[in-house]
Amino acid sequence: MALGLAAKQAIVKEVNDVASNALSVAVAEYRGMEVADMTQLRRQAREQGVYLKVIRNTLAKRAFIDTKFEDMDSALTGPLIYGFSIDAPGSAARLFKEFAKENKHLKVTALSIGSGLMGADKLDAVASLPTRDEALAKLLATFKAPVSKFVRTINEVPTKFVRVLSAIKDAK
């Protein structure tokens, strides 16, 4: 069923709003996927906080205008599903990577984290980006490490002294 101009404008506005707030976008070709597989992908996307949308590429090109994903025009060919990462930059890439292991019809074609268009070969790198909580945990561990080493070093002086006294006592 053909969409009217008002419906197309609403879709472009909706995708533009999502793209403006998204941290990254992953684009995958879904040719040959069954409806049940697509439903499962959408369910997993909702659980992981990824916004998925299947729209015409011409509408996507218009929706990406004035966003950090404007440079994706050259990658928008074929039947594509768009995954926008809202909370963590690697969540859409991680979702597509994990789903593609089970379903060979899903093929990632392009990625962008706002710093330029990347090919599908960068999927592993983007998918391995930490979530916000993981990044904060690593940062806190980095801050904590020097303090912990310092405390252990300071504590080692009296411990060695007690061991020496104990060894002298045992020797007598």
Side-chain angles (χ1 to χ4, degrees):
M1 185 167 146
L3 295 174
L5 180 61
K8 289 178 183 178
Q9 288 173 338
I11 290 171
V12 168
K13 182 176 179 356
E14 175 188 353
V15 173
N16 184 279
D17 291 343
V18 171
S20 296
N21 297 322
L23 299 172
S24 68
V25 64
V27 181
E29 189 173 314
Y30 64 94
R31 190 184 322 254
M33 278 183 63
E34 296 181 7
V35 174
D37 294 332
M38 187 66 81
T39 303
Q40 181 183 4
L41 177 63
R42 289 179 186 199
R43 186 178 320 113
Q44 290 176 3
R46 276 192 301 276
E47 292 169 358
Q48 296 179 17
V50 175
Y51 177 85
L52 283 184
K53 190 75 172 175
V54 175
I55 59 172
R56 296 182 63 168
N57 296 329
T58 54
L59 296 179
K61 288 176 185 178
R62 290 188 179 168
F64 288 159
I65 293 174
D66 295 331
T67 67
K68 54 189 165 192
F69 308 118
E70 270 186 298
D71 56 352
M72 293 199 66
D73 285 356
S74 61
L76 305 181
T77 57
L80 299 175
I81 185 165
Y82 300 85
F84 295 93
S85 300
I86 306 301
D87 298 328
S91 57
R94 198 173 306 116
L95 171 72
F96 284 167
K97 178 183 174 185
E98 293 299 319
F99 194 80
K101 288 179 183 176
E102 302 166 8
N103 191 320
K104 300 301 179 199
H105 295 293
L106 187 71
K107 295 178 184 68
V108 176
T109 58
L111 304 158
S112 178
I113 54 174
S115 60
L117 179 66
M118 292 182 265
D121 57 326
K122 302 290 186 193
L123 178 66
D124 290 333
V126 175
S128 66
L129 289 174
T131 63
R132 182 178 187 275
D133 293 337
E134 291 170 346
L136 288 174
K138 287 180 182 179
L139 179 66
L140 289 176
T142 303
F143 286 154
K144 182 183 168 196
V147 174
S148 298
K149 284 185 177 183
F150 178 71
V151 169
R152 279 194 300 269
T153 303
I154 295 296
N155 190 33
E156 195 61 31
V157 171
T159 304
K160 280 188 176 182
F161 180 70
V162 170
R163 280 192 220 133
V164 168
L165 287 179
S166 177
I168 293 172
K169 179 183 146 192
D170 290 343
K172 288 184 178 186

